[in-house]
Structure formats: C-alpha cells, structure tokens
Amino acid sequence: MTGNPENGALMEIACDESGSDGENLTGGNTDVFAHASVRLPVETAAEYVQEIRRRIRSPATEYKANHLLRDKHRAVLESFLGPAGPLRDGNAHVHLIEKTFFVVNRAVDLLLGEDGDGDRDRDGEGPEAITLFREGPRTFGERDWRDFLTASNQLLRVRNDAAATVPADVFFRTVDALRDEYSGTTAGVIVERLAAARSRSRAESYRERMRDSPVLFPVLNPLLPAIVSTARYWLAEGRPVRLVHDRQNMLTPERIAWIMEAAPLSDVQLVAARSDARVQLADFLAGIARKLASDELNGRGDPALTALLRPYVGTDSVWGDEGSGLRLGTAEANSAV
C-alpha cells in the first residue's frame, strides 16, 4: 500500500477480472462477469500467495482461481474467503455483472432512456429493464426470450460483420413479433415501446455511429463500467486512489484517461498479474466470485461458499435475477421492483 493509513493518504487498489467474452454476452463461455479489487501491502499479499502455494502444492508456475475451486482444496478456499483470511475487514470488493441482464439494461437504456446513448457510465438498473428481464422469460418462453436476447446483443455489438442496418432490422422484426404475440402482458407493453418509431430511429442512429466513427467505449463491454464502479467504491472512503490493474487490451491510454476522469482517480497502472501478488489475489477472488455467482444463478449454489462470498459483493452490482441476487447480496435495492 502506498503512503500511510492516515486520512488523505493515497490508497493503492489492485484489480483483476474474470469472465470476459468481449461483446458476446448472450452466447459466450460465461454468464457472469466479475471485477475484484484488493487493498493490501505488497509484502502481505506475497505472504498469502506463498501460503496458498504451500497448501495446494501444485507444480503450476502461475496459480489461478481454479486451483482453489477444486474439491480437494475446499479448506484453502474457505480459509481464503473466511473471516480469518487476507481479504476481510474491508480489504476486498467484487463487482458482479449478470451478462444477459447487462444486455437488456443497455438495450432499454439506448432505446427508452432519457439520453438514448446506452450510457457507458451508468450501471444503475432502470425499472423497465428489471421488469422486462424478470417477466420476459415467463411470458415469452425460452425460445422467444433467447431470440430477443440475441437480437439485442447484435444490435448493440460494435464488431458486427453485417451491413450497418441489418442488426437493427433483425432486432425490430423480433420485437414486432413479440409485441403482436404478447400484447397486453406486462412484458409485452415494454416490448411495444421498444418497437415504436422513436426507438427505431435511435437504434438506426446508433448503428450508423458504430459504422462511421471509431468506438472508444463499446457499450457491451462490462470492463470499463466495472472499473469505474470499483474506483468509486474505494473513493467513498475519502482518500485518493491509484488502481493497479492487470494488463488488458481494452485499457488503452484513451480509455484510461476517461476512467481517471469519470471516477475520478489519481492514477491507473497496468501490470502483469504474476508480477504483483496483490493482483494475483484479485485474480483469485474474481475467478472464485464469477464461479460461485454463476452457480447461484443457475440453481446449483453452495450455501456455505455463497455466504463466505457475500461480504465482498458490491450492492451496485448489475444483477437482474432476484433470487440469486438476494443470496449473493446484490439485490436489496431492487428486489421490490
């Protein structure tokens, strides 16, 4: 940790992520994105990494979260997350993003939001997005809901080999069909608004912008808003913050400059995870959180491990599923919506 613990001293916060599939959020390898951050002195973090290596005894040169997640290392995992572990007492935080809800939230924000730009800096869940996400699968059925998610993902995706207007055409054919089939239902009313001429104009303008100019902030990539949310969590302590982050291709100098202004941060440094023990611990925590959160989302959660993860989970996580959100600690703010 840089500086001393007195008020006003600079805090160094080490970060890493797990579950990145780029802009493919509805058909990728993972259904949860996790961004973890750790506040520990370098020497303390190195001691914990060595302790984990001593207990697991794998010949791997670089340990990852899956080493701790193996059944035979359950005691190491519980110790890592537990009250006597290195991360308790306010030393760690996890920002979770449920990917399909992130897509719905961004699509509703783009087409129905006040600004109509799919705001890259706003992770807050609008009530229409929450309602559509929770009512849509029950109302439309699995196949139609999956078609809606896929069309939404393609509409918002920057990297798309099709002609500029094609994703918008596909999206509106999809919502037109849903509007006609499910008219009068709660989800159908929201889809009717998505199908309106004003929304179509916004979608076409968005696709034209994606075609005609370089995109600095892809609205579907969860990394940038997750970093801003993480930074604001630590800044709430009233001290300046420097983020030490694992190297990512997404983190170009232009994007780092935007993050520093949006948060705002004192500095952002990129390092190789294996060169900084604090980042290694953040890598462990991100991978563990992603796996445990995904298990909860899919009805196979381990109550004991979920309870150990819960103290780290940020309440501003972007999470639409109410049941798993309550168990993870993400859903108190919107469970009554």
Side-chain angles (χ1 to χ4, degrees), residues 99-316:
K99 291 183 177 181
T100 53
F101 177 62
F102 189 75
V103 171
V104 174
N105 197 39
R106 287 300 204 230
V108 170
D109 183 50
L110 172 69
L111 302 180
L112 303 182
E114 185 174 331
D115 297 326
D117 62 357
D119 191 349
R120 62 183 177 269
D121 184 29
R122 185 179 64 78
D123 265 356
E125 298 92 347
E128 287 176 306
I130 293 171
T131 299
L132 179 58
F133 185 78
R134 294 178 181 172
E135 294 293 329
R138 291 194 288 263
T139 302
F140 304 152
E142 183 178 352
R143 185 181 67 180
D144 285 351
W145 178 243
R146 175 54 55 181
D147 288 346
F148 172 76
L149 291 176
T150 301
S152 299
N153 197 142
Q154 292 301 318
L155 173 67
L156 297 173
R157 190 170 184 170
V158 173
R159 293 185 178 181
N160 201 311
D161 294 333
T165 57
V166 169
D169 291 342
V170 172
F171 177 82
F172 285 102
R173 283 200 299 270
T174 302
V175 295
D176 285 348
L178 293 174
R179 175 199 59 196
D180 295 343
E181 179 71 18
Y182 302 102
S183 176
T185 65
T186 300
V189 169
I190 298 173
V191 166
E192 184 174 358
R193 291 193 63 204
L194 293 175
R198 177 172 177 265
S199 296
R200 191 179 299 263
S201 176
R202 283 186 168 192
E204 291 172 352
S205 296
Y206 172 80
R207 289 310 314 170
E208 288 172 3
R209 293 198 303 272
M210 297 306 99
R211 179 194 63 192
D212 295 339
S213 60
V215 177
L216 191 56
F217 309 105
V219 299
L220 276 188
N221 194 303
L223 179 62
L224 300 180
I227 292 176
V228 171
S229 180
T230 295
R232 289 174 177 169
Y233 170 82
W234 293 103
L235 284 163
E237 295 195 11
R239 297 167 56 187
V241 171
R242 172 192 290 135
L243 291 189
V244 181
H245 205 290
D246 184 34
R247 290 174 181 164
Q248 302 283 343
N249 290 335
M250 272 292 293
L251 295 179
T252 62
E254 295 82 5
R255 288 168 179 150
I256 289 174
W258 174 80
I259 289 168
M260 289 181 62
E261 181 177 356
L265 291 164
S266 297
D267 192 17
V268 176
Q269 294 183 350
L270 302 183
V271 302
R274 64 190 305 171
S275 70
D276 191 312
R278 300 168 301 174
V279 178
Q280 290 180 52
L281 292 181
D283 179 51
F284 294 163
L285 180 59
I288 290 165
R290 183 201 60 76
K291 175 63 164 59
L292 298 184
S294 179
D295 286 347
E296 279 295 341
L297 180 63
N298 290 285
R300 54 176 185 268
D302 182 314
L305 293 179
T306 299
L308 289 175
L309 175 65
R310 184 183 174 112
Y312 305 108
V313 175
T315 56
D316 63 344

Side-chain angles (χ1 to χ4, degrees), residues 41-53:
V42 175
E43 298 80 5
T44 303
E47 291 173 3
Y48 280 115
V49 170
Q50 286 302 118
E51 175 64 13
I52 289 170
R53 295 185 66 93

